[in-house]
Amino acid sequence: MSVDHLVPKSKQRDQAYEWNNYRLACSRMNARKNAFEDVLDPFEVQDGWFALDLSTLQVTPGAGLAAPIQQRVQDTIDRLDINDDEFITARTSYYDSYRDGDLTFRHLRKHFPFLAMELIRQGLAPKDS
């Protein structure tokens, strides 16, 4: 894990030590975001903005989004390369382990909440799991 500056330090130095500018991110996402400002703020993302195609395990913009939000979601997916081979492989591993009974839904919900949320949204896990 690393700390990302939502507003890049190189663009607004006065925000470098402001708590409200810090975001916890894995180092890969932090490096990919770099000083770009086209990535959505995780604090602003709403349920349904991102979806998971369970046949490919690729992240896509959610259905029915207004065009400007859909574009910002797609820009975030592209900038962070969320669908690179390593992330697809990881999602596949977690999803397969859950389907094979090696992971409980509780564990999935705690450690892989996006996948768990998508299973619920798509009717493959009960909401009260």
Side-chain angles (χ1 to χ4, degrees):
M1 291 295 171
S2 67
V3 174
D4 175 54
H5 291 83
L6 181 65
V7 176
K9 298 177 293 193
S10 61
K11 297 192 177 177
Q12 289 189 19
R13 294 195 81 55
D14 63 320
Q15 294 294 308
Y17 297 104
E18 296 297 325
W19 282 107
N20 64 357
N21 193 37
Y22 292 161
R23 302 296 182 268
L24 183 62
C26 73
S27 56
R28 178 180 294 137
M29 293 295 104
N30 194 349
R32 288 179 181 176
K33 179 183 169 285
N34 200 345
F36 296 104
E37 297 183 89
D38 57 349
V39 173
L40 284 166
D41 180 350
F43 290 151
E44 294 178 3
V45 172
Q46 297 177 21
D47 286 348
W49 283 14
F50 291 85
L52 187 63
D53 179 338
L54 292 176
S55 66
T56 63
L57 294 173
Q58 290 208 3
V59 176
T60 63
L65 295 174
I69 297 296
Q70 182 178 358
Q71 187 60 57
R72 292 192 65 210
V73 169
Q74 188 62 57
D75 290 346
T76 297
I77 291 168
D78 294 343
R79 171 69 60 208
L80 299 179
D81 198 11
I82 290 172
N83 291 318
D84 73 3
D85 290 340
E86 191 169 342
F87 285 130
I88 296 286
T89 299
R91 283 184 215 120
T92 301
S93 175
Y94 303 135
Y95 186 40
D96 288 349
S97 292
Y98 168 69
R99 288 188 309 174
D100 293 343
D102 296 331
L103 286 179
T104 65
F105 190 76
R106 182 176 180 214
H107 181 85
L108 199 65
R109 187 175 231 163
K110 180 176 182 179
H111 296 281
F112 315 105
F114 178 62
L115 177 55
M117 182 179 72
E118 282 297 289
L119 290 172
I120 291 170
R121 183 185 68 80
Q122 296 182 38
L124 299 173
K127 288 183 180 183
D128 55 357
S129 293

